[in-house]
Amino acid sequence: MEQRALGRTGARASVIGVGTWQFGTDWGDVPIEDAHALLRGCVDSGVTFVDTADVYGDGRSERFIGSFVNALDEAERPFVATKMGRRVEQRPENYTEEAFLAWNDRSRENLGVDTLDLVQLHCPPTEVLADPATWDALDRMVDEGRIRHYGASVETCEQALLAMERGASTIQIIINLFRRKPLEEVLPAAIDRGVGIIVRVPLASGLLSGRYTRDTSFAACDHRTYNRDGSAFDIGETFSGVPYEVGVDAAAEFTRLCAEFGPEGAAPAQIALKWITQLDGVTTVIPGARNLEQAAANAAAAALPPLSDDFEAALADLYDRRIRAHVHDRW
Ligand SMILES: NC(=O)c1ccc[n+]([C@@H]2O[C@H](COP(=O)([O-])OP(=O)(O)OC[C@H]3O[C@@H](n4cnc5c(N)ncnc54)[C@H](OP(=O)(O)O)[C@@H]3O)[C@@H](O)[C@H]2O)c1
């Protein structure tokens, strides 16, 4: 698997990593044995970057990762990126240095390490990103050996640019075939500043696998049911903010384009991931996987041949016709 420099951190990350929101309970229940088998499969496929958060299953995802990673030999250990800040009401005054330290203590305990590889602010209010005190507190956490690096996970391109300007080493942002705005300014700025780009929701919450129909239903505890209207958190996190029926129809067209232009034998989900890895400025893509088969297929996408210019033109046209009006000026 290709490994890329994670911005200026000095760390390296596999071009396909793995997201582990699925180990929480917002998508149903993944038992610990399955989570460990999935992570084992990822490591065996060359994945060296794992994304989690203190809020996924209220610590369950971090604990599953900690128990897996700490049993590995040093040479096999992946880089583990976690996040903090979504276990409290989203008000700027809740983002105090005291809170940062408490959140950090809990994540270090869950992950079973003294020093976290990377902590990301977890889509905080813009005021938190703009406040110099936020970044000063993170600098002190590095000095104290609590974290090696810090970054921000953000909703909008404006927030990404702001966090980079304030000194984030990494930015986590949604980019996929249905979310192209970050290609305009965020990726060029990341290259200029030496910031690592971690791409989340690369499959538009699974839409780009082409498996769902208008009649597909998801579990009641799955955010694709309960956040479809954005009532629990930013609607852009669920199906990438694309109205479900619009997304299903666009994904069906994407599947047809894959058959016409794509590498033979590659599944749409793999082609959707490959497209992201080809973008200049992207460090790692973190598809969420529910089982070992999905994780293995996702890792294998790294080795696909490059997508052709004709394919890219058809994909850009699909976005312009079906998706742009729903999302482009929003995030
Ligand atoms: N605010 C934030 O910082 C934030 C927000 C969202 C996500 N994240 C991170 O980003 C990661 C990825 O985002 P995501 O999981 O929300 O969305 P995603 O990666 O776009 O979609 C994940 C879903 O795609 C389907 N899938 C995955 N691999 C597949 C394959 N090979 N073939 C067919 N279907 C496949 C599965 O759907 P089924 O469940 O239907 O099988 C899976 O649950 C998360 O796990 C998390 O680590 C961070």
Side-chain angles (χ1 to χ4, degrees):
M1 169 95 67
E2 180 189 347
Q3 310 287 319
R4 294 181 179 171
L6 183 62
R8 56 174 180 269
T9 63
R12 295 181 73 74
S14 50
V15 67
I16 303 281
V18 64
T20 64
W21 188 7
Q22 283 72 2
F23 297 176
T25 43
D26 296 325
W27 302 70
D29 242 346
V30 175
I32 188 165
E33 298 75 23
D34 293 7
H36 281 187
L38 190 161
L39 291 168
R40 181 71 252 170
C42 286
V43 169
D44 289 344
S45 310
V47 168
T48 61
F49 189 92
V50 179
D51 180 74
T52 184
D54 59 2
V55 73
Y56 296 163
D58 201 25
R60 175 182 156 104
S61 175
E62 284 187 332
R63 288 192 295 275
F64 284 8
I65 292 165
S67 55
F68 173 77
V69 167
N70 292 329
L72 295 177
D73 292 340
E74 192 56 37
E76 273 195 326
R77 283 175 79 100
F79 185 97
V80 178
T82 193
K83 313 187 199 80
M84 65 178 187
R86 301 290 302 190
R87 294 175 58 253
V88 292
E89 202 185 326
Q90 292 303 291
R91 286 191 280 123
E93 57 270 33
N94 286 337
Y95 281 76
T96 61
E97 184 159 9
E98 199 186 354
F100 284 13
L101 298 181
W103 299 338
N104 176 257
D105 285 344
R106 185 172 175 274
S107 284
R108 292 189 300 149
E109 191 180 332
N110 284 340
L111 285 163
V113 292
D114 293 332
T115 309
L116 300 177
D117 292 334
L118 172 69
V119 70
Q120 305 158 95
L121 298 167
H122 198 165
C123 295
T126 304
E127 295 92 317
V128 174
L129 296 172
D131 187 350
T134 300
W135 307 96
D136 291 346
L138 290 167
D139 279 331
R140 282 190 284 276
M141 286 165 69
V142 172
D143 292 345
E144 287 167 16
R146 291 169 161 270
I147 57 177
R148 284 193 187 86
H149 309 287
Y150 57 78
S153 185
V154 297
E155 305 287 6
T156 67
C157 292
E158 289 70 28
Q159 290 174 336
L161 297 171
L162 172 61
M164 281 190 221
E165 193 192 300
R166 292 289 193 267
S169 295
T170 61
I171 294 292
Q172 183 176 136
I173 190 163
I174 299 178
I175 301 178
N176 61 49
L177 285 163
F178 294 170
R179 184 69 77 86
R180 284 175 170 251
K181 179 121 178 254
L183 279 56
E184 294 170 3
E185 282 185 72
V186 173
L187 293 182
I191 295 169
D192 279 356
R193 290 179 179 270
V195 169
I197 292 285
I198 302 162
V199 174
R200 74 172 183 273
V201 196
L203 300 174
S205 312
L207 265 181
L208 288 163
S209 70
R211 290 180 300 137
Y212 311 147
T213 68
R214 286 174 171 239
D215 298 326
T216 303
S217 59
F218 300 90
C221 63
D222 188 317
H223 73 100
R224 293 171 295 185
T225 299
Y226 71 76
N227 195 48
R228 212 174 264 199
D229 60 355
S231 55
F233 44 80
D234 192 300
I235 196 171
E237 301 293 345
T238 301
F239 300 124
S240 215
V242 178
Y244 183 68
E245 286 75 14
V246 173
V248 165
D249 293 350
E253 181 176 341
F254 169 57
T255 300
R256 289 195 294 278
L257 291 174
C258 289
E260 187 179 345
F261 295 103
E264 220 180 299
Q270 294 178 304
I271 293 173
L273 297 176
K274 182 69 190 182
W275 178 81
I276 301 169
T277 66
Q278 286 183 202
L279 301 171
D280 281 342
V282 167
T283 310
T284 183
V285 186
I286 50 164
R290 183 186 287 289
N291 54 46
L292 179 56
E293 291 68 34
Q294 288 182 351
N298 295 341
L304 291 178
L307 308 185
S308 69
D309 291 347
D310 286 349
F311 196 3
E312 165 53 21
L315 294 171
D317 174 61
L318 182 158
Y319 176 80
D320 288 341
R321 275 185 292 107
R322 292 184 182 266
I323 305 293
R324 179 182 282 271
H326 297 282
V327 299
H328 203 79
D329 294 324
R330 218 159 153 196
W331 291 281

